[in-house]
């Protein structure tokens, strides 16, 4: 329970973005700042954990200063940080900083689950959802359908059996010769392509349950790319392949989500996580779902500090005195429970 107005500093360092934000429980988001490491990892074709940790160390404190200055706040009332899931070294940087600041400011420190951060990011918008709802959480590491009965009450309905959907975007983009991270680049290329050019599989849609599988779709893309290469047509077909892949991935996500919403009689859907920035996904969900669709604005779909500050504000009941740095590479969302009083 939030009893008085609190300014919560949010720190996100789970992967390749350093995100910091200040959220007021009374006034909303006061300031935020983000540093993306995309350029550092691009030459390796993916995130290099050691480089990620070192760059978080370099950028975090200056970003905290910038945010506090922008907001005109000297000392926040609480510090929230991503405690997992994510890269352990990267998480340790955020956790170490949060606990250090908590000690210096003598304020509570709140460990936050990264995916709960994504899930509450739409709360930053005027059109914010109420519970219960169905959440489609789609990022580089996760693909989950969750029946959300209330804040902290998560029933996992389905997840991916192999690759996450963001990973499928990134790997397909790589096959098409696009840089890292491939999702946004593939989506851009798809704008010029014909989504019906290649008949790619919509994995699992005809199966019971709500699980996903994207490795078959990725393999199908690989075969189509190879064939086009052999025929000397890859350059001409690149956009068509991108559009066909995107259409198949989006059909799969939307089909599964609609099934779950119907079965569970949920009339609100939240789309969050990096792939939630995909315009086709947003448009198709809005077109095919008869209930309300909610999502964060583009910049709060991918990793950011604002979502961690909001989740931290909602979890002030779980705040600890600065003492223990928590960093969990794996942390199933459904093990969470509502915050303490
Ligand atoms: O949530 P996020 O920033 O980081 C994780 O927690 O993983 O998600 C990153 C993922 C990447 O796989 C990226 O390619 C994908 O989100 N992504 C997109 C788009 N923007 C980001 N995928 C499809 N279309 C987009 N517009
Ligand atoms: Zn994320």
């Amino acid at each position: 329970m939030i009893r008085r107005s609190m300014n919560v500093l949010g720190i996100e360092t789970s992967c390749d973005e350093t995100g910091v934000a200040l959220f007021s429980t009374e006034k909303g988001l006061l300031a935020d700042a983000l540093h993306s490491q995309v350029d550092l990892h691009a030459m390796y074709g993916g995130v290099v954990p050691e480089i990620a940790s070192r760059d978080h160390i370099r950028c975090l404190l200056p970003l905290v200063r910038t945010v506090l200055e922008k907001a005109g706040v000297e000392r926040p009332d609480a510090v929230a940080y991503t405690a997992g899931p994510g890269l352990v070294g990267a998480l340790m940087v955020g956790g170490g900083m949060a606990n250090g600041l908590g000690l210096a400011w003598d304020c509570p420190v709140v460990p936050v689950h990264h995916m709960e951060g994504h899930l509450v990011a739409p709360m930053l918008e005027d059109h914010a959802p109420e519970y219960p709802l169905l959440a489609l959480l789609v990022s580089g590491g996760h693909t989950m359908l969750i029946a959300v009965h209330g804040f902290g009450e998560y029933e996992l309905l389905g997840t991916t059996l192999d690759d996450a959907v963001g990973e499928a975007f990134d790997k397909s983009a790589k096959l098409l010769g696009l840089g890292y991270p491939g999702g946004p680049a593939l989506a851009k290329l798809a704008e010029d392509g014909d989504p019906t050019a290649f008949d790619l599989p919509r994995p699992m849609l005809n199966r019971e349950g709500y699980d996903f599988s994207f490795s078959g779709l990725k393999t199908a893309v690989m075969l189509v790319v190879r064939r086009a290469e052999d025929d000397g047509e890859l350059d001409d077909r690149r956009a068509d392949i991108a559009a066909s892949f995107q259409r198949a991935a989006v059909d799969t996500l939307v089909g599964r989500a609609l099934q779950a919403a119907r079965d569970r009689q949920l009339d609100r859907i939240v789309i969050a996580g990096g792939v939630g920035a995909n315009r086709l996904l947003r448009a198709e969900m809005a077109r095919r779902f008869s209930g309300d669709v909610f999502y964060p604005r583009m910049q709060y779909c991918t990793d950011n500090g604002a979502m961690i500050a909001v989740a931290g504000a909602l979890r002030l009941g779980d705040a600890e005195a600065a003492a223990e740095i928590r960093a969990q590479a794996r942390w199933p969302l459904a093990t969470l429970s509502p915050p303490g009083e």
Side-chain angles (χ1 to χ4, degrees):
M1 275 295 267
I2 297 168
R3 292 189 180 82
R4 66 179 176 89
S5 170
M6 300 270 278
N7 290 329
V8 182
L9 186 77
I11 293 178
E12 157 61 34
T13 64
S14 69
C15 190
D16 59 350
E17 326 267 357
T18 320
V20 178
L22 193 67
F23 179 78
S24 152
T25 54
E26 190 188 3
K27 298 179 188 149
L29 193 66
L30 300 180
D32 74 323
L34 186 79
H35 171 76
S36 169
Q37 304 178 354
V38 162
D39 296 346
L40 287 180
H41 302 291
M43 64 184 288
Y44 302 100
V47 178
V48 183
E50 177 73 18
I51 294 178
S53 308
R54 285 169 186 267
D55 200 59
H56 287 310
I57 292 174
R58 195 175 65 87
C59 294
L60 192 47
L61 200 48
L63 284 182
V64 169
R65 284 218 173 93
T66 304
V67 163
L68 293 180
E69 265 165 34
K70 262 203 243 174
V73 169
E74 230 165 80
R75 272 166 103 114
D77 304 299
V79 182
Y81 69 99
T82 304
L87 303 170
V88 171
L91 291 167
M92 296 280 288
V93 177
M97 179 68 71
N99 280 275
L101 291 172
L103 274 177
W105 290 330
D106 192 20
C107 73
V109 176
V110 194
V112 168
H113 191 292
H114 180 80
M115 298 311 288
E116 186 170 72
H118 278 302
L119 181 55
V120 298
M123 308 286 176
L124 286 161
E125 306 304 324
D126 292 339
H127 182 55
E130 287 172 24
Y131 302 109
L133 56 84
L134 178 73
L136 175 65
L137 295 187
V138 278
S139 70
H142 295 89
T143 310
M144 297 193 280
L145 265 176
I146 298 158
V148 183
H149 304 296
F151 180 68
E153 296 175 70
Y154 308 126
E155 182 187 352
L156 181 68
L157 301 179
T159 186
T160 180
L161 302 178
D162 38 61
D163 293 350
V165 63
E167 208 176 339
F169 266 90
D170 293 338
K171 288 179 176 170
S172 299
K174 209 170 192 174
L175 289 166
L176 290 168
L178 303 170
Y180 170 84
L186 187 146
K188 178 119 204 15
L189 180 62
E191 286 171 15
D192 303 324
D194 171 7
T196 63
F198 295 94
D199 188 18
L200 298 175
R202 271 75 174 147
M204 309 286 283
L205 266 193
N206 299 321
R207 288 231 212 130
E208 290 274 306
Y210 309 107
D211 283 333
F212 301 91
S213 163
F214 288 100
S215 72
L217 176 57
K218 176 194 65 192
T219 307
V221 170
M222 189 175 75
L223 294 175
V224 166
V225 167
R226 278 211 195 131
R227 205 176 315 132
E229 234 165 9
D230 290 347
D231 296 345
E233 293 183 335
L234 185 56
D235 276 344
D236 295 339
R237 305 311 302 273
R238 231 183 275 269
D240 288 343
I241 298 173
S244 302
F245 163 82
Q246 177 175 247
R247 171 60 70 165
V250 166
D251 278 356
T252 306
L253 293 174
V254 174
R256 268 310 200 215
L258 294 184
Q259 234 174 339
R262 203 181 314 120
D263 295 352
R264 292 308 188 100
Q265 296 180 328
L266 293 167
D267 56 10
R268 299 178 195 98
I269 291 184
V270 160
I271 307 177
V275 183
N278 187 274
R279 288 178 198 279
L280 183 68
L281 174 59
R282 291 175 173 221
E284 280 297 287
M285 195 69 92
R287 189 178 69 78
R288 291 175 56 188
F289 184 51
S290 55
D292 278 335
V293 185
F294 302 84
Y295 34 75
R297 74 193 77 166
M298 290 293 181
Q299 82 216 62
Y300 300 140
C301 272
T302 45
D303 293 348
N304 64 85
M307 68 185 198
I308 303 304
V310 175
L314 292 166
R315 281 211 172 266
L316 282 170
D318 291 347
E320 302 166 348
E324 190 192 348
I325 300 168
R326 286 183 49 191
Q328 280 173 246
R330 287 174 193 279
W331 185 5
L333 184 67
T335 61
L336 265 58
S337 47
E341 287 293 301

